[in-house]
Amino acid sequence: MTTSITVQQTARPDGLPTPADFELVRAQIPDPAPGTALVENLYLSVDPYHREVMDEGPLGTPLEGRALGRVLASRDPGLAEGDLVFHREGWRTHAPVTLGVDGVRKIKAYDGVPLSAHLGILGGTGLTAYVALTRTLSLKPGEDLFVTAAAGGVGTAAGRIARLLGAGRVIGSAGSAEKVDYLTGTVGYDAAFDYHEGPVGELLAKAAPDGVDAVVENVGGTHLEGAIAGLRDHGRIAWVGAVAQYNTLAEPPAAPRNLYDVVGKNLRLEGVLVRNHRDAQGELEDFLVPHLRSGRVASDETVVDGFDGILDGFIGMLGGSNTGKLLIHVTD
């Protein structure tokens, strides 16, 4: 290839994004400048938080995001041709990077582990779930856990990691009967429910009549309200995301009506930002790679083949079309 392609945001969306909010920009692939390397991207990450970025990020630039690429040419002494690299230069086929700048790091390819896992359960998605469970919640063996948006990237990773940590019952919410079946039949959840079938608090009470000890919260709104209702005294919430309001920022959902129960039940609610826990990356890989190699754990993924599918994949993901982590496979 002699031409690179970037996805640039050109307009602020009103509600759900559309392809008209973006532009594909083609340009000549540059030679690397001194101190940089040129990377050809293999996989791109598409995440719910990108919708939030669209309301705040600069227009006319490639949309930020995690990517896994291979070095084509290098003038960075720390990177050689053929090295595998993680970076955050976003939605593009090629990117200039510098080792150690803006989170750029070399990736170790593990035998028996697919490369895509480095953007899934071994990437920011898995790291978010891992630190939420081990650092924010300090989940103990035998404790019961509720995970919202459990069929998404963080939700599937949280379910699998919680099982490895010795959790008691693991319960999840999802957006369809098919996803409920996937959670209980494939991921290892003990119980799950489709949140369209009633109030989240009531559905959680049926799945966990005695309550739960901890929650990984990815949705906000009525899911957070249901989580508060279902927690036992001294329960904990690791709040990761608020996908329920990403497309409705002009009129976000009402705050949980039972928020004061955080006081009455002595609950702890703490936000989780994965960028504050990059020091745990090696710990995550040491913990998970043996289980990935043995087949005890998988990286749950929905992969869209081809760079030209990125916008449809992103918009579909916001509507719940994916199971597990959504990735764009750019090239082998």
Side-chain angles (χ1 to χ4, degrees), residues 254-273:
R257 293 165 294 183
N258 59 349
L259 190 58
Y260 192 65
D261 285 352
V262 170
V263 176
K265 298 168 73 172
N266 291 291
L267 306 180
R268 179 167 58 84
L269 188 156
E270 183 177 344
V272 180
L273 283 175

Side-chain angles (χ1 to χ4, degrees), residues 148-199:
T148 65
V154 172
T156 50
R160 291 187 183 275
I161 294 171
R163 186 61 65 214
L164 295 175
L165 293 172
R169 298 189 73 238
V170 182
I171 299 131
S173 68
S176 69
E178 292 77 14
K179 290 183 177 181
V180 167
D181 290 342
Y182 183 79
L183 290 174
T184 56
T186 301
V187 181
Y189 275 77
D190 295 288
F193 57 81
D194 180 350
Y195 65 84
H196 295 105
E197 295 182 350

Side-chain angles (χ1 to χ4, degrees), residues 16 89 105 186 248 263 316:
L16 189 69
E89 293 301 318
R105 58 184 172 85
T186 301
T248 58
V263 176

Side-chain angles (χ1 to χ4, degrees), residues 71-91:
V71 175
L72 294 182
S74 180
R75 298 178 70 184
D76 180 334
L79 293 173
E81 183 178 336
D83 281 348
L84 294 171
V85 176
F86 170 90
H87 65 84
R88 299 187 63 96
E89 293 301 318
W91 294 3

